[in-house]
Structure formats: C-alpha cells, structure tokens
Amino acid sequence: MSITASFEGSITALAIFMLVNSITPGPNNLMLLHGSIKRGFWPCRWHMLGITLGVTIMLWLSYWGMAALIISFPAVMLIIKILGTLYLLWLTYQMAKTDFIAVVNDALKHKQQKANKVTIKIKKRFGELPLSFGQALLFQWLNPKAWTMTVVAPSLAMFHAGKPWLDNYALLAMCAIINLLSISCWAAGGHWLRKLVHLPRVMRVIHILIVLMTLYCALTLWL
C-alpha cells in the first residue's frame, strides 16, 4: 500500500488526536486506575483489551458511515449520553461504597497465596472492576468520550475512498496500538499505587479523588 506525502499531515493529526483522547482522564482510564489498584496490572489485561477492541470496532464502523449517521440523528447521541451518565453514576456509587483498603489488602493476600501455589479463585460480581473483556467492549457503546473520539477521527485521515478495506486497516492498527499503550499507563499507575496500601490515609484520599473524578466525568457529559 502506498501512502503519499500529502497524507502525512493527516496521519500525524490522527495519531495526536487518538493519543490525547486515549491518555487523558475519562471513564475508561479512571475505571482502569481503580481496578488496577484493587487487583493489580495483570488482572486488568482483559479490561484493557476490551476497551481497545471496542474503540477500534467503533472507529472501523465510523469509516464506513456510522459517523455520518450519528451526526444526522442527534437523538442517538442524546440517548447514549443518558445511558452513559446513568452507568457512570451507578459506577460512582459502587466505587464510593467499596472498602478500598480492605479490597487491596485482600488482593495482596491472594497474590501471596498464589505465589505459594495455593489455589485461589476470586469471585467477581457483574460490573465489578476491573471489567471482563466483554463488559469493557460493550461499555464503549455507552461511553460518550469513545463516541466523540471515533466519530471525529475519520475526518482527520481518510485515504483512498475506493479502497477503504486496505487503507483504513492501517489507520485502525495505528489507533489501536496508541489506545492500548495509553490506557496501559493508567493501569500501570494503579498497580504502582498499591505500594501505598500501608498508608491508609493516602489510600483514602486517592479513593475519594477517583470517585469524585468519575462523578465529574458523568456531569461533564452535559456541560
């Protein structure tokens, strides 16, 4: 596949756009931060992969006309905003009532038992962080930030209209890699914060900040 120099600027614009939208605070990253503090980086792997695949599928559909459809029917975005807000408010409540320090200590204890080759199976409730692969993938359809990102992206870099299957796959691969690496930073940050579990006051402050930021994400959908 040949890409002419005239398209280099648009590729750069798309890459920067995806990076900024993927790495800045939002529902996905706050959920990963919360989940990785609770369970560690590795248990968040399916959550991260679900986010990236979900965003990539939405971006692929946008290249095939979904972006124009959403713009043509504002009521669709309104419904998404309402459902997304309700989910984020529910998530905020679930986060707020969690005994954060107890959960982290329990996870660390299970990790130690696993290292000692003791079989441990942690039962998770539906929607508990980190999300499963399927839950994370489906959540993207209720995430207004993901919609905004995937609807705008095609306007930044669109190659040969006659061969979208070939050209757009290169864009999708680039966007998927950028997204996965970006959200991984938040999961890694949460994993590092587990080291502060011996400082209960600090962990409580971190917990409160995450809850408030999640609530803020829900409210900013309407600003």
Side-chain angles (χ1 to χ4, degrees), residues 75-95:
V76 176
M77 183 57 72
L78 177 61
I79 293 173
I80 293 169
K81 286 174 65 176
I82 293 173
L83 294 177
T85 300
L86 291 175
Y87 179 81
L88 288 175
L89 290 175
W90 176 82
L91 183 64
T92 300
Y93 170 73
Q94 295 297 321
M95 287 181 175

Side-chain angles (χ1 to χ4, degrees), residues 122-209:
I122 300 177
K123 292 184 177 180
K124 288 178 56 180
R125 295 172 298 173
F126 177 82
E128 183 180 349
L129 299 176
L131 298 179
S132 67
F133 176 82
Q135 290 170 0
L137 189 154
L138 292 175
F139 170 67
Q140 303 318 304
W141 296 89
L142 296 180
N143 184 359
K145 185 176 181 180
W147 276 99
T148 301
M149 179 168 58
T150 55
V151 167
V152 173
S155 66
L156 298 176
M158 178 67 79
F159 292 155
H160 311 290
K163 298 187 297 181
W165 283 90
L166 296 177
D167 295 325
N168 293 341
Y169 277 161
L171 294 181
L172 293 176
M174 179 189 73
C175 292
I177 293 171
I178 292 173
N179 179 261
L180 183 59
L181 292 177
S182 298
I183 62 177
S184 295
C185 294
W186 286 80
H191 184 86
W192 181 86
L193 289 173
R194 288 159 63 88
K195 297 178 180 179
L196 305 178
V197 71
H198 64 285
L199 302 173
R201 291 183 180 179
V202 175
M203 293 299 288
R204 288 192 182 95
V205 171
I206 293 172
H207 184 206
I208 292 172
L209 288 175

